[in-house]
Amino acid sequence: MKRIITVQDISCVGRCSLTVALPIISAMGVECGVIPTAVLSTHTAFSKFTFRDLTEEIPSITDAWKELSLGFDAVYTGYLGSERQIALVKDFVRDFGNKDGFVTWIDPVMADHGKLYHGFSEEFAGKMAELCTMADVVVPNLTEASFMLGIPYREHYDEAYIRDILVRLTEKGTKAAALTGVELEEGKIGVYAYDSVNKKFFSYYNEKLPASYHGTGDVFSSCAFGAYMRGASLEDALSLAVDFTLECMKKTMADEDRRFYGVNFEEAFPMLISRLKELK
Ligand code: PXL
């Protein structure tokens, strides 16, 4: 069984980051270790939340692992709270990333719908872009990609624009980039990806629902990463993640005021497990 480490915060309530990544990755048959970057009472879209930074605990944790000679097959980062945490992830990749086939998967969580989340800055986006150069796979949405490239966010675009962004995202070493939430056709939403090693583009879409929920990016990334670690091709992993995210949203739609509580992935697990069996 593959053993991975995911680096993200614990938002105690609200179904995002670790409370999404841990159950999804575990259910997919991948051992999921964690580095919690911070503890929040809820994610930051709630009107009140507490925040306890855990940055100083990170080097102690990784030093103890080094003393034990622990090894991992991948690192998957989500919401990181500071530039110092980005630097610590770089150290992690340098210290633990020399195992054959090691995967560095980065979801540069920091923005959506044209805006940075509470507490993030353009400088942070620049540092995140540097971290992404070390990655095998990055999965930004269009807002995050725009901030990392230092270009204005565009709501309207065509396929050539998406391809150009993907090539630019991989110009400094990132092996593959997948843009999430891409809409090129009425009523459809999905992922557009570029594998810069084989110079191949790929896209996959499914139905666009008339709803938007918090935490869908974390569900998408965790699912795609889990499938990839189970040996699926990047194309299959990303397609499964599009379908699973849609299934989670359908389960959530029944209860409109649960919006800030993330998506109902729990009831979508049967679909995920049966699709995982079909993958190989
Ligand atoms: O879902 C991304 C995410 C993760 N962690 C925290 C957040 C958010 C998005 O707002 O606030 C703390």
Side-chain angles (χ1 to χ4, degrees), residues 9 11 16-17 40 42-45 79 109 117 214-215 218:
D9 68 281
S11 288
C16 70
S17 39
L40 294 84
T42 60
H43 60 65
T44 60
Y79 183 101
V109 178
Y117 293 140
H214 212 84
D218 298 339

Side-chain angles (χ1 to χ4, degrees), residues 76-92:
Y76 156 32
T77 71
Y79 183 101
L80 300 175
S82 62
E83 292 182 19
R84 167 106 176 100
Q85 289 185 352
I86 291 176
L88 288 168
V89 171
K90 286 186 184 168
D91 291 345
F92 185 93

Side-chain angles (χ1 to χ4, degrees), residues 137-141 166 169 176-180 191-194 220 234 238:
V137 185
V138 298
V139 288
N141 58 38
L166 285 166
L169 283 170
L179 272 175
T180 61
V191 64
Y192 210 120
Y194 179 57
F220 178 90
L234 188 58
L238 293 168

Side-chain angles (χ1 to χ4, degrees), residues 7 19 31 41 50 69 99 114 125 128 150 165 175-176 188 194 197-198 209 213 226 239 260 270:
V7 189
T19 62
E31 182 184 338
S41 50
T50 66
S69 303
K99 188 172 175 188
M128 184 58 92
I165 295 245
K175 293 203 183 79
K188 301 262 176 203
Y194 179 57
V197 177
N198 299 302
L209 297 175
Y213 299 109
S239 305
F260 289 116

